[in-house]
Amino acid sequence: MAKGWENIARYQPRVTKLLTNSIEKKRLAHAYLLEGKKGTGKKEMSLVFAKSYFCENLIDYQPCENCKNCKRIQSGNHPDVHLLEPDGLSIKKWQIQALQEEFSKSGVESNKKVYIISHADKMTTNAASSLLKFLEEPNANTIAVLLTEQVHQIISTILSRCQVLSFQPLPPQAIKDELTKLEIPADLATLVSHVTNDIEEALEISRDDWFAEARLKVIKLYEVLTTRKGQAPIYIHTQWMSHFNDKEKQDIGIDLLLYLYKDLLSMQIGNEEQVIFKDLFPQFRQHALQTTQRSVIENITSILEAKKRLHANANPQLLMEHLVLTLQEG
């Protein structure tokens, strides 16, 4: 896997270019807000940025990864790089005040300091007010990096004092490529890459026996719906509900079924490269000829409606039985 800036640039080229240009030109802001979905590389970038700021052998913008500063930042024990995480559910005022005490001291080994505040949207009102004072009167050579998945929850006075860098969701192909390198089977990697855009979560899902079994259960339901229509409600009762036995799992099951019917539609309209369940190509080709696009679109609509009803706390078993009755009519 590529190191440092190159690794991030593969998925976040725009924000990488902005930051590396600033490093090369020595025109750094005193506060950055990195915002975007989980797994898009925000924390990774904040640490690479800190390495570039402290590296003893910096080449252009690239940290050497071998000097004392780079190694200590990597291991999380550099005295002038502070990572602040929520204490429980929120970031408390005392945590920001402790940081402010650090702000007022000279750097342990230089005058430089970097503070990384993870989940900055979880600051209490008092914590945010305390941080605002620092942002209004920044110390020279001190840089704050705020990370958030919920930028709309950051108060406007903090937003206005930060350079906001927006991270894009990772494309499914990027997730699939990383999983394939880790020897995850291609069929599973393709599906997981559409379930999440967080590489770590994707790897966790890929190695979860429950998910692999869920994939097989969904394929089996599709086969029952298309070849033994009357047995679909029995399949829900005997096979489906015991596996998808809580709301989160039921949601995943409905999502996988949705992807499968979207694949059938992709096959009908000639977008074979977009098919996720590639091992079902022969069945899709056959079924694509046996049913109309309108019917498949109606099935997709029914699945989306079932997903909405699940989130509205409908009874899961009755919901699935009603859904398969609707699907088998199509």
Side-chain angles (χ1 to χ4, degrees):
M1 189 182 289
K3 293 280 189 180
W5 291 111
E6 286 94 346
N7 190 44
I8 301 165
R10 288 158 62 193
Y11 309 126
Q12 304 295 345
R14 193 183 67 83
V15 289
T16 300
K17 188 171 180 60
L18 281 167
L19 267 185
T20 53
N21 281 348
S22 297
I23 292 166
E24 282 194 283
K25 294 174 182 175
K26 295 183 169 54
R27 292 180 185 166
L28 295 172
H30 72 275
Y32 292 93
L33 177 67
L34 313 187
E35 70 90 9
K37 288 186 177 180
K38 180 183 175 185
T40 47
K42 299 183 297 297
K43 186 177 286 186
E44 182 185 1
M45 180 174 279
S46 68
L47 293 173
V48 176
F49 172 76
K51 287 178 189 176
S52 292
Y53 193 49
F54 284 95
C55 181
E56 297 169 351
N57 306 308
L58 191 70
I59 301 173
D60 298 325
Y61 57 82
Q62 197 70 261
C64 70
E65 303 285 353
N66 293 314
C67 71
K68 177 179 63 177
N69 284 340
C70 282
K71 286 183 174 178
R72 286 192 295 178
I73 291 168
Q74 183 63 37
S75 62
N77 62 6
H78 193 289
D80 293 321
V81 177
H82 300 266
L83 175 61
L84 185 64
E85 301 269 4
D87 174 33
L89 295 176
S90 62
I91 295 173
K92 313 290 196 299
K93 183 179 179 180
W94 70 262
Q95 293 178 276
I96 301 297
Q97 288 175 329
L99 273 184
Q100 286 176 316
E101 287 182 29
E102 291 291 333
F103 295 159
S104 63
K105 299 174 188 173
S106 296
V108 175
E109 295 177 12
S110 71
N111 288 324
K112 293 179 177 179
K113 283 177 177 288
V114 169
Y115 302 90
I116 302 165
I117 302 180
S118 189
H119 299 289
D121 52 281
K122 294 184 178 177
M123 284 186 285
T124 64
T125 304
N126 288 337
S129 297
S130 293
L131 179 66
L132 191 57
K133 291 174 186 174
F134 160 67
L135 295 175
E136 287 172 340
E137 300 170 7
N139 297 351
N141 300 321
T142 296
I143 298 176
V145 183
L146 281 58
L147 315 179
T148 182
E149 295 166 24
Q150 308 282 342
V151 69
H152 57 280
Q153 293 188 18
I154 302 289
I155 60 173
S156 59
T157 44
I158 286 180
L159 275 177
S160 66
R161 287 164 176 79
C162 296
Q163 182 173 343
V164 179
L165 301 176
S166 296
F167 284 57
Q168 301 304 308
L170 300 191
Q173 188 62 45
I175 302 283
K176 182 186 174 184
D177 290 347
E178 292 297 329
L179 294 178
T180 305
K181 287 178 196 170
L182 297 167
E183 299 184 348
I184 302 299
D187 290 341
L188 192 56
T190 302
L191 181 57
V192 172
S193 71
H194 286 79
V195 172
T196 177
N197 56 21
D198 178 342
I199 287 177
E200 288 184 16
E201 186 179 19
L203 186 57
E204 194 177 311
I205 294 170
S206 299
R207 291 173 173 168
D208 184 348
D209 290 341
W210 180 89
F211 186 83
E213 182 67 19
R215 181 180 183 278
L216 295 177
K217 295 278 187 194
V218 170
I219 292 172
K220 181 69 174 175
L221 175 59
Y222 177 71
E223 289 172 351
V224 170
L225 283 166
T226 52
T227 60
R228 290 173 289 156
K229 291 187 175 185
Q231 295 183 28
I234 298 169
Y235 180 81
I236 294 298
H237 181 69
T238 59
Q239 300 289 321
W240 184 276
M241 294 309 300
S242 59
H243 192 72
F244 301 95
N245 55 13
D246 64 38
K247 189 170 180 179
E248 186 178 344
K249 290 176 179 177
Q250 290 150 6
D251 199 36
I252 291 170
I254 292 174
D255 277 343
L256 299 188
L257 191 61
L258 178 64
Y259 294 145
L260 208 151
Y261 275 87
K262 282 184 173 179
D263 280 355
L264 180 57
L265 182 61
S266 292
M267 187 70 79
Q268 286 181 321
I269 62 178
N271 285 346
E272 292 191 7
E273 71 282 356
Q274 291 184 7
V275 170
I276 297 170
F277 288 84
K278 294 192 185 299
D279 49 333
L280 296 187
F281 260 171
Q283 291 97 312
F284 287 148
R285 284 201 180 95
Q286 181 185 345
H287 299 155
L289 297 172
Q290 293 173 343
T291 186
T292 63
Q293 286 183 30
R294 180 177 177 178
S295 177
V296 176
I297 290 168
E298 286 174 354
N299 285 338
I300 289 171
T301 303
S302 296
I303 296 169
L304 289 169
E305 182 60 32
K307 186 175 172 68
K308 190 189 300 181
R309 288 179 57 219
L310 178 68
H311 289 200
N313 294 320
N315 179 288
Q317 180 155 337
L318 293 177
L319 181 150
M320 286 304 301
E321 288 174 356
H322 180 267
L323 175 61
V324 296
L325 287 170
T326 304
L327 294 178
Q328 67 186 17
E329 286 169 9

